């Protein structure tokens, strides 16, 4: 470790600070480790933020957190190289802008740590085509065609490698990823049963029920950044006029009563969930506050709340997006992640007899 610090000091003082401030813990005393990754596929919307990224910030105070931009996952479908690299830095900047602290958490780009791809191959040799073909997301994305990109089929194995590489205890994910977490657990147990205790078996931490944010135009569907209608979502970097237009155009109903009823009033219920999550007020208090008022007043106030909540995120994003600090943080994160990953990979290769000592 001493040599690593001295070498880094020659190139970048800030990187040394991140290393020195990070507590050194033994395996028996370390906090539970969290790993999660986000694809660099465009602007993150408030559904992503309220459903997952906000939890990332909360977890870093009492967990050992590793957050990754999973660019290798992104190329399961064709990507423009320039756009992909831009989106990598966009997402990294948003990680920092929402409050992820590089002194508390490791933030890095997946492809900067080669062990992800190497472990993925070893895990491929410990998975079965039957369990991969049963993955709901593969069946959905391949649309049950006879032939589909192999990356779509192997995506969950790479995800398992991402998780198992860091001796991860907790994986915060949405319910749509539950099947993938189960596969990671199955592979870990399968290897452990034949190759002694090689992997930590991770647990999924699934999103809080109230954090499920739906599309503004079709509130029975999840908010998605791939939806054709740009007003179906609010992205973290949207300007104030776009936020206002999207909220004011959002689907409600014809009875004019503000109450939480997902089955009969999905649009209003969704707006109440967003309002509550961004303002910190309970849904019950909001229903009481707007008793007897119309949707117009409710939506105008939600516009103000949303703009106010996103303003500091946008300001921090603009401050860091094109800075040297961003690159330094990602390089430092890759070094720190690689330090953990190479130890795990060496352990795995040893139990399989790969390479020379």
């Amino acid at each position: 470790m001493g040599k690593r610090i001295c070498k880094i000091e020659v190139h970048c003082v800030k990187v040394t600070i991140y290393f020195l401030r990070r507590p050194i813990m033994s395996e028996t005393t370390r906090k539970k480790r969290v790993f999660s990754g986000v694809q660099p596929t465009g602007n993150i919307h408030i559904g992503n933020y309220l459903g997952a990224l906000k939890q990332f910030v909360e977890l870093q105070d009492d967990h050992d957190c590793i957050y990754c931009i999973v660019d290798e996952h992104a190329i399961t479908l064709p990507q423009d190289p320039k756009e992909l690299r831009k989106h990598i830095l966009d997402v990294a900047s948003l990680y920092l802008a929402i409050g992820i602290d590089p002194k508390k958490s490791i933030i890095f780009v997946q492809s900067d740590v080669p062990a992800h791809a190497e472990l993925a191959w070893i895990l491929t040799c410990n998975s079965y085509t039957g369990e991969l073909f049963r993955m709901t997301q593969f069946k959905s994305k391949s649309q049950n065609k006879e032939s589909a990109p192999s990356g779509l089929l192997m995506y969950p194995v790479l995800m398992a490698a991402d998780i198992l590489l860091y001796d991860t205890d907790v994986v915060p994910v949405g319910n749509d990823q539950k099947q993938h977490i189960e596969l990671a657990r199955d592979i870990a147990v399968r290897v452990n049963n034949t190759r002694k205790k090689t992997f930590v078996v991770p647990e999924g931490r699934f999103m809080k029920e109230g954090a499920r944010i739906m599309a503004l135009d079709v509130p029975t569907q999840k908010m998605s950044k791939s939806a054709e209608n740009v007003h179906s979502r609010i992205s973290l970097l949207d300007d104030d006029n776009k936020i206002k237009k999207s909220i004011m155009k959002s689907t409600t109903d014809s009875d004019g009563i503000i109450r939480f009823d997902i089955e009969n009033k999905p649009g209003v219920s969704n707006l109440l969930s967003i309002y509550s999550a961004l303002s910190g007020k309970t849904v019950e208090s909001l229903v009481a506050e707007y008793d007897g008022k119309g949707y117009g007043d409710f939506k105008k106030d939600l516009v103000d709340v949303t703009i106010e909540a996103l303003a500091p995120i946008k300001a921090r994003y603009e401050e860091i997006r094109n800075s040297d600090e961003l690159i330094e943080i990602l390089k430092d994160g890759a070094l720190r992640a690689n330090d953990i990953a190479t130890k795990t990979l060496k352990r795995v290769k040893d139990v399989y007899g790969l390479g020379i000592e």
Side-chain angles (χ1 to χ4, degrees):
M1 177 62 77
K3 288 182 181 179
R4 181 184 286 276
I5 291 175
C6 291
K7 183 177 180 181
I8 291 168
E9 285 178 335
V10 172
H11 298 290
C12 178
V13 174
K14 284 189 178 181
V15 172
T16 304
I17 291 171
Y18 297 139
F19 267 111
L20 294 178
R21 289 190 180 182
R22 187 170 183 79
I24 299 173
M25 301 181 182
S26 71
E27 286 299 306
T28 56
T29 60
R30 73 172 175 86
K31 300 175 182 178
K32 283 194 171 183
R33 181 168 289 153
V34 169
F35 178 91
S36 194
V38 172
Q39 282 201 45
T41 52
N43 196 353
I44 293 171
H45 57 66
I46 60 170
N48 304 136
Y49 172 58
L50 297 174
L53 298 184
K54 199 174 179 185
Q55 291 185 56
F56 289 6
V57 178
E58 296 165 0
L59 285 166
Q60 69 182 346
D61 289 329
D62 50 13
H63 290 75
D64 182 16
C65 293
I66 301 174
Y67 297 129
C68 182
I69 296 98
V70 288
D71 55 340
E72 290 175 343
H73 283 286
I75 63 169
T76 53
L77 295 173
Q79 300 286 338
D80 177 274
K82 289 182 179 178
E83 285 297 303
L84 180 59
R85 284 193 167 146
K86 174 183 177 297
H87 291 323
I88 288 169
L89 297 179
D90 289 346
V91 171
S93 300
L94 282 169
Y95 267 157
L96 298 168
I98 64 170
I100 294 177
D101 185 346
K103 299 180 187 69
K104 295 179 180 179
S105 303
I106 295 175
I107 307 168
F108 74 105
V109 180
Q110 181 187 31
S111 62
D112 286 340
V113 178
H116 285 260
E118 192 168 354
L119 182 59
W121 172 249
I122 297 172
L123 298 188
T124 296
C125 297
N126 287 275
S127 57
Y128 295 92
T129 54
E131 60 191 354
L132 298 180
F133 279 116
R134 285 195 297 272
M135 291 288 130
T136 303
Q137 286 206 9
F138 171 72
K139 289 191 286 188
S140 171
K141 290 183 178 180
S142 64
Q143 298 178 331
N144 295 311
K145 293 178 181 176
E146 184 177 340
S147 183
S150 300
L152 288 176
L153 181 66
M154 303 312 300
Y155 181 108
V157 180
L158 178 57
M159 182 173 170
D162 298 337
I163 296 165
L164 300 180
L165 194 56
Y166 296 98
D167 290 336
T168 302
D169 300 295
V170 181
V171 188
V173 290
N175 285 311
D176 59 338
Q177 293 291 324
K178 188 172 184 178
Q179 204 178 22
H180 292 167
I181 298 300
E182 289 303 317
L183 178 69
R185 288 172 53 82
D186 289 346
I187 293 174
V189 170
R190 186 177 299 150
V191 173
N192 287 349
N193 285 342
T194 59
R195 307 281 173 167
K196 60 186 180 181
K197 191 168 178 12
T198 304
F199 293 121
V200 171
V201 180
E203 296 285 342
R205 169 175 162 156
F206 300 101
M207 293 179 192
K208 301 165 189 172
E209 206 51 45
R212 186 174 172 84
I213 304 301
M214 312 305 284
L216 297 178
D217 58 342
V218 186
T220 54
Q221 298 177 5
K222 276 182 65 177
M223 187 174 285
S224 170
K225 55 189 167 187
S226 62
E228 288 187 18
N229 181 7
V230 296
H231 294 297
S232 69
R233 60 189 174 271
I234 296 171
S235 297
L236 296 186
L237 301 179
D238 280 347
D239 62 43
D240 294 355
N241 287 334
K242 162 62 171 59
I243 291 170
K244 181 178 180 180
K245 187 175 289 187
S246 295
I247 291 174
M248 298 308 291
K249 288 168 67 74
S250 63
T251 299
T252 50
D253 50 55
S254 59
D255 72 7
I257 299 171
I258 297 169
R259 72 173 188 274
F260 193 84
D261 181 347
I262 292 177
E263 185 175 344
N264 298 303
K265 297 173 71 66
V268 174
S269 299
N270 187 43
L271 295 179
L272 281 166
S273 293
I274 294 169
Y275 201 141
S276 174
L278 293 178
S279 68
K281 297 180 180 180
T282 65
V283 169
E284 292 76 11
S285 69
L286 289 170
V287 169
E289 182 180 340
Y290 288 93
D291 183 34
K293 296 183 180 178
Y295 293 156
D297 290 338
F298 174 64
K299 286 184 175 182
K300 286 175 184 175
D301 289 347
L302 178 54
V303 169
D304 293 338
V305 166
T306 305
I307 289 172
E308 184 178 355
L310 299 187
I313 295 174
K314 291 193 283 188
R316 176 59 176 151
Y317 175 89
E318 292 299 328
E319 178 185 333
I320 199 168
R321 174 58 179 82
N322 295 305
S323 68
D324 292 337
E325 181 186 4
L326 174 61
I327 304 304
E328 290 164 8
I329 287 169
L330 292 176
K331 287 181 177 179
D332 168 54
L335 285 171
R336 290 158 63 189
N338 194 62
D339 191 51
I340 299 168
T342 51
K343 290 183 177 68
T344 306
L345 187 61
K346 175 67 165 62
R347 183 173 75 230
V348 176
K349 291 171 79 171
D350 282 349
V351 302
Y352 278 94
L354 295 171
I356 57 175
E357 304 217 10

